[in-house]
Amino acid sequence: MSSRKLRLPAAAAAAVVLAVTGAAPVVASPGHAPATARTAAVPGAVRADFDGDGYLDVAIGAPGGTVNGRAGAGYFTVVYGMGQGPDGIKRQVISQNRYGIPGTAEAGDRFGSDLTAADLDGDGYTDLVVGSPGEDVGSARDVGRQTVLWGSVGGLVTAAIVGEGRAATRAGDFNGDGHMDLVTAYETRYGPISRAGVPARTGPLVDADVRVYGMAQGDVDGDGTTDLVISAGPWDSDGDGTVPPPRLQLLWGTRGGFAEGPLIAPADTVSADSIALGDVDHDGRPDVVFGRSTAPGGGRVGVVRGVPGGFAARATLIGQDTPGVPGTGESGDRFGTDVSVGDVTGDGYDDVVAGIPGEDHAGRTDAGTFAVLRGSAAGLSGGAVQVFSQNTAGVPGTAENGDAFGARTAVVGGYVVVSAPKENNGNGGVWVFRGTASGLTADGSVSYGPHALAAPETGAQLGAALQR
Protein backbone atom coordinates (compact mmCIF):
# COMPACT_ATOMS: atom_id res chain seq x y z
CA MET A 1 0.00 0.00 0.00
CA SER A 2 1.11 3.54 -0.64
CA SER A 3 1.95 6.03 2.08
CA ARG A 4 -0.35 8.72 0.72
CA LYS A 5 -1.77 11.22 3.21
CA LEU A 6 -5.49 11.48 3.80
CA ARG A 7 -6.66 15.06 4.11
CA LEU A 8 -9.85 16.65 5.40
CA PRO A 9 -10.86 19.72 3.36
CA ALA A 10 -12.15 22.35 5.79
CA ALA A 11 -15.12 23.22 3.59
CA ALA A 12 -16.34 19.63 3.67
CA ALA A 13 -15.59 18.90 7.29
CA ALA A 14 -19.05 19.90 8.45
CA ALA A 15 -20.14 16.46 7.23
CA VAL A 16 -17.99 14.76 9.82
CA VAL A 17 -20.41 13.86 12.60
CA LEU A 18 -19.71 10.45 14.06
CA ALA A 19 -22.59 10.03 16.49
CA VAL A 20 -24.52 6.78 16.16
CA THR A 21 -28.19 5.99 16.26
CA GLY A 22 -28.74 4.32 19.57
CA ALA A 23 -32.34 3.86 20.63
CA ALA A 24 -35.37 2.42 18.93
CA PRO A 25 -39.15 2.77 18.80
CA VAL A 26 -41.74 0.73 20.66
CA VAL A 27 -42.75 -2.93 21.06
CA ALA A 28 -44.66 -4.58 23.85
CA SER A 29 -42.88 -6.37 26.68
CA PRO A 30 -44.44 -8.58 29.34
CA GLY A 31 -46.72 -6.44 31.49
CA HIS A 32 -46.79 -3.54 29.04
CA ALA A 33 -49.49 -2.27 26.70
CA PRO A 34 -49.54 -4.06 23.35
CA ALA A 35 -47.40 -2.53 20.64
CA THR A 36 -50.45 -1.86 18.50
CA ALA A 37 -51.70 0.54 21.18
CA ARG A 38 -48.45 2.43 21.67
CA THR A 39 -46.19 4.25 19.28
CA ALA A 40 -43.17 6.49 19.75
CA ALA A 41 -40.87 8.39 17.46
CA VAL A 42 -37.46 6.90 16.87
CA PRO A 43 -35.09 8.75 19.24
CA GLY A 44 -32.28 10.72 17.63
CA ALA A 45 -28.64 9.80 17.36
CA VAL A 46 -26.27 9.88 20.30
CA ARG A 47 -25.24 13.53 20.32
CA ALA A 48 -21.69 13.91 21.55
CA ASP A 49 -21.08 17.49 22.65
CA PHE A 50 -18.12 17.27 25.00
CA ASP A 51 -17.70 21.05 25.43
CA GLY A 52 -21.40 21.97 25.52
CA ASP A 53 -21.20 24.59 22.77
CA GLY A 54 -24.12 23.14 20.80
CA TYR A 55 -21.96 21.69 18.04
CA LEU A 56 -21.45 17.95 17.62
CA ASP A 57 -18.00 16.59 18.39
CA VAL A 58 -16.23 13.46 17.16
CA ALA A 59 -14.20 10.81 19.01
CA ILE A 60 -12.17 8.34 16.95
CA GLY A 61 -10.04 5.54 18.38
CA ALA A 62 -6.49 4.77 17.31
CA PRO A 63 -5.58 1.87 19.62
CA GLY A 64 -2.45 0.91 17.67
CA GLY A 65 -0.86 4.32 18.07
CA THR A 66 2.71 4.65 19.31
CA VAL A 67 3.04 7.05 22.25
CA ASN A 68 6.52 8.10 23.36
CA GLY A 69 7.99 5.06 21.67
CA ARG A 70 5.48 2.62 23.22
CA ALA A 71 3.99 0.69 20.33
CA GLY A 72 0.31 -0.06 20.69
CA ALA A 73 -0.12 2.20 23.71
CA GLY A 74 -3.01 3.79 21.84
CA TYR A 75 -4.79 7.10 21.80
CA PHE A 76 -7.99 8.69 20.59
CA THR A 77 -8.66 12.00 18.98
CA VAL A 78 -11.55 14.40 19.48
CA VAL A 79 -12.44 16.79 16.68
CA TYR A 80 -14.56 19.55 18.20
CA GLY A 81 -17.45 20.98 16.22
CA MET A 82 -17.41 24.66 15.27
CA GLY A 83 -19.69 26.89 13.23
CA GLN A 84 -18.37 25.31 10.05
CA GLY A 85 -18.40 21.80 11.51
CA PRO A 86 -15.65 19.65 13.10
CA ASP A 87 -13.00 20.55 10.53
CA GLY A 88 -9.96 19.45 12.51
CA ILE A 89 -8.88 22.97 13.51
CA LYS A 90 -10.10 22.59 17.08
CA ARG A 91 -9.04 19.17 18.29
CA GLN A 92 -7.43 17.08 21.00
CA VAL A 93 -5.21 14.02 20.74
CA ILE A 94 -5.45 12.19 24.05
CA SER A 95 -3.34 9.34 25.38
CA GLN A 96 -2.67 8.06 28.87
CA ASN A 97 0.40 10.29 28.95
CA ARG A 98 -1.72 13.42 28.94
CA TYR A 99 -1.93 15.28 32.25
CA GLY A 100 -5.02 14.29 34.21
CA ILE A 101 -5.50 10.87 32.57
CA PRO A 102 -5.04 7.97 35.02
CA GLY A 103 -2.23 5.57 34.22
CA THR A 104 0.71 5.75 31.83
CA ALA A 105 0.94 4.96 28.13
CA GLU A 106 2.52 1.51 27.91
CA ALA A 107 3.17 -0.83 25.02
CA GLY A 108 0.11 -2.90 24.21
CA ASP A 109 -2.43 -0.99 26.35
CA ARG A 110 -4.50 -0.23 23.20
CA PHE A 111 -6.12 2.81 24.81
CA GLY A 112 -8.97 3.91 22.52
CA SER A 113 -10.15 0.42 21.52
CA ASP A 114 -13.72 1.20 22.60
CA LEU A 115 -15.47 4.58 22.89
CA THR A 116 -18.85 5.15 24.54
CA ALA A 117 -20.35 8.65 24.60
CA ALA A 118 -22.99 9.56 27.22
CA ASP A 119 -23.69 12.22 29.84
CA LEU A 120 -22.95 10.02 32.84
CA ASP A 121 -23.24 12.70 35.52
CA GLY A 122 -26.18 14.62 34.08
CA ASP A 123 -24.40 18.00 33.90
CA GLY A 124 -25.30 18.63 30.25
CA TYR A 125 -21.84 17.80 28.88
CA THR A 126 -21.24 14.52 27.07
CA ASP A 127 -18.64 12.29 28.71
CA LEU A 128 -16.52 9.62 27.02
CA VAL A 129 -15.71 6.14 28.32
CA VAL A 130 -12.47 4.85 26.78
CA GLY A 131 -11.46 1.20 26.83
CA SER A 132 -7.86 -0.04 27.07
CA PRO A 133 -8.13 -3.86 26.95
CA GLY A 134 -4.36 -4.40 27.24
CA GLU A 135 -3.98 -2.45 30.46
CA ASP A 136 -2.04 -4.17 33.25
CA VAL A 137 -3.37 -3.80 36.79
CA GLY A 138 -0.68 -4.33 39.36
CA SER A 139 1.15 -7.53 38.46
CA ALA A 140 -1.82 -8.88 36.50
CA ARG A 141 -1.32 -8.67 32.75
CA ASP A 142 -3.91 -7.47 30.25
CA VAL A 143 -6.71 -7.08 32.79
CA GLY A 144 -8.16 -4.14 30.88
CA ARG A 145 -9.60 -0.89 32.10
CA GLN A 146 -12.29 1.69 31.30
CA THR A 147 -11.55 5.36 31.87
CA VAL A 148 -14.19 8.09 31.81
CA LEU A 149 -13.20 11.55 30.59
CA TRP A 150 -15.61 14.17 31.84
CA GLY A 151 -17.05 16.74 29.47
CA SER A 152 -16.80 20.41 30.40
CA VAL A 153 -16.80 23.87 28.87
CA GLY A 154 -13.14 23.20 28.09
CA GLY A 155 -13.86 19.81 26.54
CA LEU A 156 -12.49 16.53 27.88
CA VAL A 157 -10.17 17.65 30.66
CA THR A 158 -10.52 15.59 33.84
CA ALA A 159 -10.81 11.81 34.05
CA ALA A 160 -11.29 8.86 36.40
CA ILE A 161 -11.10 5.09 36.24
CA VAL A 162 -14.65 3.78 36.03
CA GLY A 163 -13.97 0.04 35.95
CA GLU A 164 -11.79 -2.85 34.93
CA GLY A 165 -12.17 -5.46 32.22
CA ARG A 166 -11.50 -5.98 28.54
CA ALA A 167 -15.10 -5.82 27.33
CA ALA A 168 -16.76 -2.98 25.47
CA THR A 169 -19.21 -0.70 27.27
CA ARG A 170 -22.68 0.60 26.37
CA ALA A 171 -24.63 3.35 28.13
CA GLY A 172 -28.32 3.80 28.93
CA ASP A 173 -30.80 4.20 31.75
CA PHE A 174 -31.24 0.48 32.29
CA ASN A 175 -33.26 0.75 35.53
CA GLY A 176 -35.33 3.80 34.63
CA ASP A 177 -34.26 5.98 37.57
CA GLY A 178 -33.17 8.92 35.44
CA HIS A 179 -29.43 8.26 35.79
CA MET A 180 -27.20 6.91 33.03
CA ASP A 181 -25.72 3.46 33.65
CA LEU A 182 -22.90 1.51 32.02
CA VAL A 183 -22.96 -2.14 31.02
CA THR A 184 -20.22 -4.48 29.98
CA ALA A 185 -20.32 -8.17 29.17
CA TYR A 186 -19.64 -8.81 32.85
CA GLU A 187 -21.62 -6.33 34.91
CA THR A 188 -23.90 -3.32 35.14
CA ARG A 189 -22.64 -0.15 36.82
CA TYR A 190 -25.67 1.82 37.91
CA GLY A 191 -25.67 5.59 38.06
CA PRO A 192 -25.26 8.16 39.25
CA ILE A 193 -21.56 7.63 38.65
CA SER A 194 -19.46 9.95 40.78
CA ARG A 195 -16.66 12.14 39.49
CA ALA A 196 -14.30 9.63 41.09
CA GLY A 197 -15.73 7.00 38.73
CA VAL A 198 -17.65 5.16 41.45
CA PRO A 199 -21.14 3.86 40.53
CA ALA A 200 -24.05 3.92 42.94
CA ARG A 201 -24.04 0.13 42.82
CA THR A 202 -23.12 -2.74 40.55
CA GLY A 203 -24.89 -5.89 39.49
CA PRO A 204 -24.46 -8.76 37.05
CA LEU A 205 -25.50 -8.44 33.43
CA VAL A 206 -26.38 -12.07 32.77
CA ASP A 207 -25.68 -15.50 34.20
CA ALA A 208 -21.96 -16.08 34.67
CA ASP A 209 -22.10 -19.15 32.43
CA VAL A 210 -23.12 -17.02 29.43
CA ARG A 211 -20.58 -15.35 27.17
CA VAL A 212 -21.63 -12.03 25.59
CA TYR A 213 -20.20 -11.31 22.15
CA GLY A 214 -22.00 -8.07 21.27
CA MET A 215 -24.60 -5.59 22.53
CA ALA A 216 -26.98 -2.93 21.24
CA GLN A 217 -29.08 -0.72 23.50
CA GLY A 218 -32.43 1.00 23.09
CA ASP A 219 -35.82 1.48 24.71
CA VAL A 220 -37.64 -1.16 22.69
CA ASP A 221 -40.94 -1.04 24.59
CA GLY A 222 -41.29 2.71 25.14
CA ASP A 223 -41.41 2.55 28.94
CA GLY A 224 -38.53 4.99 29.46
CA THR A 225 -36.10 2.27 30.49
CA THR A 226 -33.29 1.20 28.20
CA ASP A 227 -33.29 -2.44 27.10
CA LEU A 228 -30.46 -4.49 25.66
CA VAL A 229 -30.13 -6.88 22.74
CA ILE A 230 -27.15 -9.19 23.19
CA SER A 231 -25.40 -11.83 21.13
CA ALA A 232 -24.66 -14.50 23.70
CA GLY A 233 -23.94 -18.17 24.14
CA PRO A 234 -22.47 -20.61 26.66
CA TRP A 235 -18.81 -20.68 27.53
CA ASP A 236 -18.62 -24.47 27.74
CA SER A 237 -19.13 -27.25 25.24
CA ASP A 238 -22.40 -29.16 25.10
CA GLY A 239 -20.76 -32.53 25.63
CA ASP A 240 -19.34 -33.27 22.19
CA GLY A 241 -16.40 -30.90 22.54
CA THR A 242 -17.97 -28.02 20.61
CA VAL A 243 -19.23 -24.76 22.08
CA PRO A 244 -22.70 -23.82 20.81
CA PRO A 245 -22.62 -20.58 18.80
CA PRO A 246 -24.20 -17.40 20.16
CA ARG A 247 -27.72 -16.24 19.37
CA LEU A 248 -29.53 -12.95 19.84
CA GLN A 249 -31.53 -12.42 23.02
CA LEU A 250 -33.50 -9.54 24.51
CA LEU A 251 -32.83 -8.34 28.05
CA TRP A 252 -35.55 -6.10 29.47
CA GLY A 253 -34.41 -3.13 31.54
CA THR A 254 -36.36 -3.00 34.80
CA ARG A 255 -36.19 -1.18 38.13
CA GLY A 256 -34.62 -4.23 39.71
CA GLY A 257 -32.07 -4.92 36.98
CA PHE A 258 -32.17 -6.82 33.73
CA ALA A 259 -34.89 -9.40 33.18
CA GLU A 260 -34.27 -12.23 30.76
CA GLY A 261 -36.31 -11.89 27.60
CA PRO A 262 -36.83 -14.20 24.63
CA LEU A 263 -34.38 -15.40 22.05
CA ILE A 264 -34.75 -13.40 18.85
CA ALA A 265 -35.28 -15.48 15.68
CA PRO A 266 -32.86 -18.15 17.01
CA ALA A 267 -32.81 -20.16 13.78
CA ASP A 268 -31.42 -17.20 11.85
CA THR A 269 -29.39 -15.13 14.31
CA VAL A 270 -26.84 -17.81 15.13
CA SER A 271 -23.31 -16.35 15.27
CA ALA A 272 -24.46 -12.75 14.84
CA ASP A 273 -21.41 -10.60 15.50
CA SER A 274 -22.75 -7.08 14.97
CA ILE A 275 -26.08 -5.65 16.17
CA ALA A 276 -28.05 -2.44 15.63
CA LEU A 277 -31.62 -1.29 16.30
CA GLY A 278 -33.83 0.76 14.00
CA ASP A 279 -37.10 0.92 12.08
CA VAL A 280 -36.42 -0.15 8.50
CA ASP A 281 -40.10 -0.53 7.58
CA HIS A 282 -41.28 2.69 9.31
CA ASP A 283 -44.15 0.98 11.14
CA GLY A 284 -43.36 2.41 14.59
CA ARG A 285 -41.98 -0.87 15.91
CA PRO A 286 -38.28 -1.67 16.36
CA ASP A 287 -36.42 -4.00 14.05
CA VAL A 288 -33.24 -5.82 15.03
CA VAL A 289 -30.53 -5.63 12.38
CA PHE A 290 -27.52 -7.91 12.65
CA GLY A 291 -24.47 -9.00 10.73
CA ARG A 292 -23.18 -12.56 10.36
CA SER A 293 -19.87 -11.77 8.71
CA THR A 294 -18.61 -15.37 8.91
CA ALA A 295 -21.73 -16.97 7.44
CA PRO A 296 -21.24 -19.23 4.40
CA GLY A 297 -21.23 -17.38 1.12
CA GLY A 298 -19.18 -14.44 2.33
CA GLY A 299 -21.45 -13.23 5.13
CA ARG A 300 -25.03 -12.10 5.67
CA VAL A 301 -27.02 -9.12 6.93
CA GLY A 302 -30.26 -9.98 8.70
CA VAL A 303 -33.27 -8.07 9.94
CA VAL A 304 -35.87 -9.33 12.41
CA ARG A 305 -38.91 -7.12 11.97
CA GLY A 306 -40.89 -5.87 14.91
CA VAL A 307 -44.45 -7.20 15.02
CA PRO A 308 -47.34 -6.61 17.45
CA GLY A 309 -46.27 -8.10 20.76
CA GLY A 310 -42.60 -8.65 19.92
CA PHE A 311 -40.47 -9.74 16.99
CA ALA A 312 -41.01 -11.92 13.93
CA ALA A 313 -40.10 -15.60 14.30
CA ARG A 314 -37.71 -15.54 11.33
CA ALA A 315 -35.25 -13.04 9.94
CA THR A 316 -34.76 -11.84 6.38
CA LEU A 317 -31.20 -12.72 5.38
CA ILE A 318 -29.38 -10.85 2.61
CA GLY A 319 -25.97 -11.55 1.12
CA GLN A 320 -24.03 -10.81 -2.02
CA ASP A 321 -25.70 -13.80 -3.66
CA THR A 322 -29.14 -12.25 -3.08
CA PRO A 323 -30.70 -11.02 -6.35
CA GLY A 324 -30.11 -7.30 -6.79
CA VAL A 325 -27.10 -7.07 -4.48
CA PRO A 326 -23.94 -6.07 -6.37
CA GLY A 327 -20.99 -8.44 -6.21
CA THR A 328 -20.57 -12.15 -5.57
CA GLY A 329 -20.60 -13.85 -2.20
CA GLU A 330 -17.13 -15.29 -1.62
CA SER A 331 -15.48 -16.80 1.41
CA GLY A 332 -13.76 -14.15 3.48
CA ASP A 333 -15.70 -11.14 2.15
CA ARG A 334 -17.18 -10.55 5.64
CA PHE A 335 -20.37 -8.97 4.37
CA GLY A 336 -22.21 -7.68 7.44
CA THR A 337 -19.20 -6.49 9.40
CA ASP A 338 -20.21 -3.69 11.78
CA VAL A 339 -23.77 -2.93 10.69
CA SER A 340 -25.26 0.47 11.49
CA VAL A 341 -28.76 1.84 11.02
CA GLY A 342 -30.24 5.27 10.27
CA ASP A 343 -32.24 7.23 7.73
CA VAL A 344 -29.68 8.13 5.06
CA THR A 345 -32.16 9.40 2.47
CA GLY A 346 -34.59 11.33 4.66
CA ASP A 347 -37.63 9.31 3.55
CA GLY A 348 -38.56 8.14 7.06
CA TYR A 349 -37.27 4.59 6.58
CA ASP A 350 -34.09 3.56 8.36
CA ASP A 351 -31.41 2.26 6.03
CA VAL A 352 -28.68 -0.25 6.84
CA VAL A 353 -24.97 0.21 6.24
CA ALA A 354 -22.86 -2.95 6.24
CA GLY A 355 -19.10 -3.17 5.95
CA ILE A 356 -17.52 -5.67 3.56
CA PRO A 357 -13.85 -5.25 4.55
CA GLY A 358 -12.69 -8.58 3.11
CA GLU A 359 -13.97 -7.85 -0.40
CA ASP A 360 -11.45 -8.35 -3.21
CA HIS A 361 -11.79 -6.12 -6.24
CA ALA A 362 -9.74 -4.50 -8.99
CA GLY A 363 -7.14 -7.20 -8.42
CA ARG A 364 -6.64 -6.12 -4.81
CA THR A 365 -7.05 -8.57 -1.93
CA ASP A 366 -9.12 -7.48 1.09
CA ALA A 367 -9.34 -3.93 -0.23
CA GLY A 368 -12.85 -3.67 1.18
CA THR A 369 -16.17 -2.05 0.32
CA PHE A 370 -19.39 -1.18 2.11
CA ALA A 371 -23.05 -1.50 1.17
CA VAL A 372 -26.11 0.66 1.84
CA LEU A 373 -29.40 -1.28 1.93
CA ARG A 374 -32.50 0.89 1.61
CA GLY A 375 -35.35 0.52 4.08
CA SER A 376 -38.91 0.30 2.76
CA ALA A 377 -42.44 -0.64 3.78
CA ALA A 378 -41.54 -4.21 2.84
CA GLY A 379 -38.41 -4.13 5.00
CA LEU A 380 -34.99 -4.92 3.55
CA SER A 381 -34.44 -6.63 0.22
CA GLY A 382 -31.76 -6.99 -2.41
CA GLY A 383 -33.21 -4.06 -4.35
CA ALA A 384 -31.81 -0.50 -4.28
CA VAL A 385 -28.48 -1.59 -2.77
CA GLN A 386 -25.46 0.66 -3.28
CA VAL A 387 -21.85 -0.47 -2.87
CA PHE A 388 -18.88 1.90 -2.52
CA SER A 389 -15.13 1.33 -2.59
CA GLN A 390 -12.10 3.59 -2.74
CA ASN A 391 -12.22 3.09 -6.50
CA THR A 392 -15.75 4.50 -6.75
CA ALA A 393 -15.74 7.80 -8.62
CA GLY A 394 -15.54 10.70 -6.17
CA VAL A 395 -14.22 8.68 -3.24
CA PRO A 396 -10.81 9.88 -2.00
CA GLY A 397 -7.99 7.34 -2.19
CA THR A 398 -7.34 4.15 -4.11
CA ALA A 399 -8.28 0.55 -3.30
CA GLU A 400 -5.19 -1.35 -2.17
CA ASN A 401 -4.34 -4.75 -0.76
CA GLY A 402 -5.38 -5.14 2.86
CA ASP A 403 -7.00 -1.73 3.41
CA ALA A 404 -10.13 -3.33 4.97
CA PHE A 405 -12.22 -0.34 3.86
CA GLY A 406 -15.61 -0.60 5.60
CA ALA A 407 -14.32 -2.26 8.78
CA ARG A 408 -16.31 0.23 10.89
CA THR A 409 -19.49 2.07 9.93
CA ALA A 410 -21.85 4.66 11.38
CA VAL A 411 -24.99 6.44 10.22
CA VAL A 412 -25.24 10.00 11.48
CA GLY A 413 -28.32 11.85 10.40
CA GLY A 414 -27.99 11.99 6.63
CA TYR A 415 -24.31 11.01 6.59
CA VAL A 416 -22.49 7.68 6.49
CA VAL A 417 -19.07 7.32 8.12
CA VAL A 418 -16.77 4.39 7.37
CA SER A 419 -13.21 3.60 8.35
CA ALA A 420 -10.30 1.53 7.15
CA PRO A 421 -8.04 0.90 10.16
CA LYS A 422 -5.50 -0.92 7.97
CA GLU A 423 -5.20 1.91 5.43
CA ASN A 424 -1.64 3.03 4.67
CA ASN A 425 0.07 0.05 6.29
CA GLY A 426 -2.14 0.25 9.37
CA ASN A 427 -2.12 4.00 9.94
CA GLY A 428 -5.87 4.05 9.34
CA GLY A 429 -8.35 6.47 7.84
CA VAL A 430 -11.95 7.69 8.00
CA TRP A 431 -14.38 8.66 5.18
CA VAL A 432 -17.61 10.66 5.29
CA PHE A 433 -20.39 10.41 2.67
CA ARG A 434 -23.51 12.53 2.27
CA GLY A 435 -27.00 11.12 1.87
CA THR A 436 -29.50 12.44 -0.66
CA ALA A 437 -33.12 11.67 -1.46
CA SER A 438 -31.96 9.30 -4.19
CA GLY A 439 -29.34 7.55 -2.06
CA LEU A 440 -25.81 7.96 -0.79
CA THR A 441 -23.43 9.99 -2.94
CA ALA A 442 -19.65 10.03 -3.22
CA ASP A 443 -19.74 13.60 -4.52
CA GLY A 444 -18.13 15.81 -1.92
CA SER A 445 -17.03 12.88 0.24
CA VAL A 446 -14.02 13.58 2.43
CA SER A 447 -11.37 11.53 4.17
CA TYR A 448 -8.61 12.01 6.69
CA GLY A 449 -5.92 10.04 8.49
CA PRO A 450 -3.71 10.67 11.53
CA HIS A 451 -1.48 13.09 9.64
CA ALA A 452 -4.38 15.48 9.04
CA LEU A 453 -5.04 15.55 12.79
CA ALA A 454 -1.36 15.96 13.72
CA ALA A 455 -1.56 12.63 15.54
CA PRO A 456 0.92 9.73 15.71
CA GLU A 457 0.75 7.87 12.41
CA THR A 458 2.70 4.62 12.26
CA GLY A 459 0.39 1.68 12.88
CA ALA A 460 -2.18 3.89 14.65
CA GLN A 461 -5.23 2.06 13.20
CA LEU A 462 -7.23 5.28 13.21
CA GLY A 463 -10.90 4.36 12.94
CA ALA A 464 -10.60 1.02 14.71
CA ALA A 465 -13.28 2.47 17.01
CA LEU A 466 -15.96 5.12 16.52
CA GLN A 467 -17.92 6.45 19.48
CA ARG A 468 -21.09 4.53 20.30
Side-chain angles (χ1 to χ4, degrees):
M1 293 177 285
S2 72
S3 59
R4 66 185 184 280
K5 307 297 184 185
L6 298 179
R7 296 179 298 171
L8 176 61
V16 186
V17 184
L18 305 190
V20 180
T21 52
V26 179
V27 291
S29 61
H32 291 74
T36 51
R38 305 178 63 197
T39 59
V42 179
V46 173
R47 300 181 65 83
D49 184 5
F50 302 116
D51 55 0
D53 64 356
Y55 298 110
L56 295 181
D57 308 319
V58 175
I60 307 159
T66 297
V67 180
N68 285 356
R70 272 67 171 181
Y75 65 88
F76 71 93
T77 181
V78 177
V79 177
Y80 288 96
M82 300 174 65
Q84 66 272 29
D87 59 5
I89 294 176
K90 183 182 178 183
R91 62 181 182 267
Q92 287 179 293
V93 176
I94 300 176
S95 75
Q96 287 182 289
N97 274 8
R98 201 201 73 174
Y99 175 78
I101 306 299
T104 303
E106 300 168 314
D109 281 350
R110 297 191 61 78
F111 185 71
S113 289
D114 181 64
L115 304 169
T116 300
D119 182 4
L120 295 182
D121 57 0
D123 65 354
Y125 298 96
T126 308
D127 311 307
L128 189 70
V129 179
V130 183
S132 48
E135 183 76 29
D136 299 339
V137 178
S139 61
R141 299 292 303 275
D142 297 340
V143 171
R145 174 181 289 166
Q146 293 98 28
T147 302
V148 57
L149 285 84
W150 301 106
S152 71
V153 68
L156 299 177
V157 179
T158 60
I161 296 171
V162 73
E164 295 180 353
R166 299 172 55 85
T169 59
R170 293 293 181 266
D173 184 4
F174 299 110
N175 63 351
D177 65 353
H179 299 292
M180 294 296 288
D181 313 309
L182 283 175
V183 297
T184 74
Y186 314 113
E187 67 177 354
T188 307
R189 301 164 189 159
Y190 291 99
I193 296 174
S194 75
R195 278 290 179 131
V198 180
R201 63 184 178 90
T202 62
L205 176 62
V206 293
D207 187 283
D209 291 332
V210 175
R211 179 179 181 181
V212 177
Y213 295 83
M215 300 183 290
Q217 78 277 22
D219 181 4
V220 303
D221 55 5
D223 66 350
T225 301
T226 310
D227 309 301
L228 205 62
V229 174
I230 61 173
S231 174
W235 283 95
D236 301 322
S237 68
D238 56 8
D240 62 359
T242 61
V243 176
R247 286 174 169 79
L248 295 188
Q249 184 173 10
L250 180 62
L251 301 180
W252 300 110
T254 75
R255 287 284 182 175
F258 285 108
E260 186 174 353
L263 292 176
I264 300 172
D268 303 317
T269 60
V270 58
S271 298
D273 53 7
S274 180
I275 318 167
L277 299 175
D279 188 5
V280 301
D281 53 8
H282 193 48
D283 66 353
R285 291 184 287 265
D287 307 309
V288 176
V289 177
F290 60 93
R292 289 176 52 191
S293 64
T294 59
R300 292 286 186 274
V301 168
V303 58
V304 184
R305 295 175 69 176
V307 298
F311 294 105
R314 297 299 301 265
T316 298
L317 297 174
I318 298 173
Q320 287 182 288
D321 53 2
T322 300
V325 177
T328 302
E330 300 168 315
S331 178
D333 283 349
R334 292 186 286 146
F335 183 84
T337 296
D338 202 39
V339 295
S340 54
V341 178
D343 185 2
V344 174
T345 61
D347 62 359
Y349 296 92
D350 278 343
D351 309 302
V352 175
V353 180
I356 322 172
E359 180 75 14
D360 302 339
H361 62 95
R364 301 293 186 261
T365 301
D366 295 340
T369 63
F370 72 93
V372 181
L373 295 82
R374 293 281 295 271
S376 72
L380 289 187
S381 69
V385 178
Q386 296 177 281
V387 174
F388 293 83
S389 74
Q390 288 190 71
N391 282 358
T392 300
V395 178
T398 303
E400 299 167 319
N401 290 327
D403 278 350
F405 181 72
R408 294 290 179 268
T409 73
V411 179
V412 187
Y415 294 95
V416 169
V417 180
V418 300
S419 71
K422 296 184 179 180
E423 173 77 12
N424 287 344
N425 295 308
N427 292 354
V430 173
W431 285 254
V432 182
F433 298 81
R434 178 173 55 88
T436 71
S438 58
L440 200 67
T441 180
D443 293 342
S445 58
V446 298
S447 66
Y448 59 91
H451 180 76
L453 299 175
E457 294 185 68
T458 304
Q461 300 171 20
L462 183 75
L466 304 177
Q467 66 195 30
R468 294 299 196 227

